Amino acid sequence: MLRHAEPQEGATIQELALLDRGVHAWTFCACGFIVEMMVWGFLFSYGIFQEYYTSHPPFNSSSQVAVAAVGTVGLGIQYGEVLFLSVLFRRYPDYMRPAMWCALVLYFLCLLGSSFATKVWQLILLQGVGLGFSGGFMYLPVMILLPQWFSERRGLAGGIIFAGTGVGGFVFPFMLNSLLDKVGLRWTLRIWAIMTCLSTGIAFFGIRPRVPVAKYRAGQRRPLAPGMEYFKSPLFLSFSLTCLIQGLSYFPVSLYIASFTQTVSNPLTATIVLSLFNSAGVVGQVILGYLTDRFAYPWVMFFSSIGSALAAFFLWGFAGGPALIYPFAIIFGALSGGFSSVWPNAAVDCAGRTPENADITYAGTAMFKGVSAVIGPIVSGLLLEAGKSSTLGHGYGRAGYGAVEIFVGSCALATGVGSIVVAAARQRLAP
């Protein structure tokens, strides 16, 4: 992904590790999976904290929208800072690994500090802004280095790495719920800070570049960031806007599915449903990633979005208990949660004749997704507040979630339309 200076005369030429295969490539993939799991899996398990904060002092006096802001701010920053970090690491590639370690220390301190919070604004600052900012520095190097290790199997490798979010999202709710019950909020956050620091720190040893990093002397000219012409292309704009709309559909479900389930069922069922929802994303990431290596990714996007829309309209819409909530969590979680596995191949297409700049187009798309990570839950929270505990009629939209369910389904349907636009834009680029 990164440009490297030409080797100096007399320098030793290192033999590169195998591409798409070999111990080093799959070690990178496995370590990337762990980093993804710890950074994103924890963020996507915020539904457990959402329920806890709104039902336990000292935060239960705050509104749901304010408490939800803790999770949405973290997601928004983590997505939104990707472009800045891509440009930064392009110019200073030799500082990328030190930045990862510094970010891990900051992540630990913010998570530890949030265990002492007594106000929602303190949670927003530490568990939201702090974790979001440091988390971006921790996981982005994985995305930057992925194309160095994988080409033909990039979709599969990306799907495996992205599946870390789903694995963490499946296991972490049970772990967090158990810790909250046994040791309380304060020690849950402290234990989690230690566990994240140890596991992610070990994984960092496997996140290494395949191509040797250029060494720069003081005063030596560093590479400049590529131009922003990619962001003007119809393919990039259509793909990124479609991802934004897809995020408006996905994030409200990831945040409110546990609260909805607890309202119509019980806390244990809510934890199981959130875990099923996140773990279904594991299967979705791998399968959709595999399909993008064999079929045009716009049609994988179309299949994912239409299936998600049907699940939201009919399964969640009429859900009044576990009988429909379980299949909704699995189907929507797999199809919508696996959507981002099309990103690596789409980023290369958006970069056109300079695939080495795919990290820039990937980062640009992430900014759009960050917008939806903030807007989607806020809009859904306002719709939920307006709906209160009403039902739309004929058993549709229980517990005041009817407008949210329609909003989610409509955005998923609009994503399907956007996928067709992406297919048309991609066809125009075909030789």
Side-chain angles (χ1 to χ4, degrees):
M1 297 293 284
L2 304 174
R3 296 179 184 274
H4 299 276
E6 295 296 325
Q8 301 295 319
E9 185 177 353
T12 301
I13 304 300
Q14 300 181 18
E15 182 178 353
L16 298 181
L18 295 175
L19 181 68
D20 280 315
R21 62 183 63 85
V23 174
H24 294 292
W26 292 112
T27 297
F28 172 86
C29 187
C31 292
F33 171 89
I34 294 173
V35 174
E36 182 86 8
M37 177 178 66
M38 299 309 300
V39 174
W40 287 104
F42 181 71
L43 274 181
F44 282 107
S45 299
Y46 180 73
I48 296 297
F49 288 102
Q50 170 84 8
E51 187 279 325
Y52 188 91
Y53 289 150
T54 54
S55 58
H56 292 77
F59 309 110
N60 56 340
S61 59
S62 303
S63 69
Q64 281 204 8
V65 175
V67 174
V70 179
T72 58
V73 165
L75 284 170
I77 291 176
Q78 201 155 290
Y79 277 114
E81 68 183 332
V82 171
L83 180 58
F84 163 74
L85 294 181
S86 294
V87 173
L88 178 69
F89 291 146
R90 176 67 65 92
R91 187 167 177 80
Y92 300 97
D94 44 331
Y95 290 119
M96 185 165 66
R97 283 183 60 79
M100 292 167 59
W101 289 102
C102 291
L104 181 59
V105 173
L106 178 61
Y107 192 98
F108 172 81
L109 293 176
C110 287
L111 198 52
L112 181 65
S114 64
S115 70
F116 297 97
T118 57
K119 305 290 183 181
V120 171
W121 70 264
Q122 295 168 344
L123 290 177
I124 294 174
L125 180 64
L126 294 169
Q127 196 174 348
V129 176
L131 297 193
F133 179 77
S134 55
F137 279 85
M138 291 162 61
Y139 97 92
L140 184 62
V142 177
M143 295 297 100
I144 291 177
L145 298 175
L146 176 62
Q148 287 191 14
W149 288 102
F150 293 93
S151 178
E152 294 180 0
R153 298 179 179 177
R154 186 184 298 124
L156 175 61
I160 292 173
I161 291 173
F162 287 141
T165 300
V167 172
F170 173 75
V171 177
F172 292 171
F174 289 105
M175 296 175 64
L176 291 168
N177 213 29
S178 178
L179 286 170
L180 287 169
D181 288 340
K182 293 179 180 179
V183 300
L185 174 66
R186 310 300 181 188
W187 277 103
T188 294
L189 292 171
R190 293 163 192 167
I191 291 171
W192 207 267
I194 296 171
M195 186 179 71
T196 300
C197 188
L198 291 175
S199 57
T200 308
I202 293 172
F204 277 177
F205 288 102
I207 307 301
R208 294 182 174 275
R210 176 174 171 267
V211 179
V213 178
K215 302 295 183 181
Y216 296 94
R217 296 184 299 272
Q220 184 179 0
R221 185 178 181 182
R222 289 180 173 271
L224 297 175
M228 299 293 108
E229 64 272 9
Y230 308 109
F231 300 157
K232 300 177 182 179
S233 72
L235 178 59
F236 172 81
L237 291 173
S238 60
F239 178 75
S240 297
L241 287 172
T242 300
C243 288
L244 187 154
I245 298 171
Q246 192 272 337
L248 294 177
S249 173
Y250 176 78
F251 289 117
V253 179
S254 70
L255 183 63
Y256 287 110
I257 189 171
S259 299
F260 170 80
T261 304
Q262 181 162 331
T263 301
V264 299
S265 186
N266 56 66
L268 176 60
T269 303
T271 301
I272 295 173
V273 165
L274 180 60
S275 295
L276 284 175
F277 172 78
N278 287 326
S279 62
V282 176
V283 180
Q285 291 282 3
V286 175
I287 292 179
L288 295 185
Y290 175 84
L291 292 175
T292 59
D293 289 335
R294 283 153 180 78
F295 303 99
Y297 60 83
W299 301 115
V300 177
M301 295 165 58
F302 180 80
F303 165 76
S304 166
S305 55
I306 296 302
S308 299
L310 294 175
F313 283 133
F314 296 105
L315 293 179
W316 194 19
F318 288 102
L324 290 181
I325 298 175
Y326 284 144
F328 167 72
I330 294 171
I331 295 173
F332 190 92
L335 294 177
S336 189
F339 189 89
S340 58
S341 61
V342 306
W343 283 29
N345 285 336
V348 172
D349 271 1
C350 290
R353 297 179 180 179
T354 54
E356 67 273 14
N357 290 334
D359 61 318
I360 298 298
T361 57
Y362 182 100
T365 299
M367 287 189 63
F368 282 79
K369 193 69 176 279
V371 172
S372 66
V374 175
I375 294 177
I378 290 177
V379 172
S380 296
L382 294 175
L383 291 174
L384 183 59
E385 291 285 342
K388 300 297 181 181
S389 57
S390 62
T391 301
L392 294 182
H394 303 288
Y396 194 91
R398 288 180 171 83
Y401 281 81
V404 178
E405 293 156 356
I406 292 174
F407 173 74
V408 167
S410 299
C411 289
L413 198 62
T415 303
V417 176
S419 302
I420 298 175
V421 177
V422 172
R426 184 172 183 262
Q427 187 65 31
R428 289 177 57 186
L429 296 179

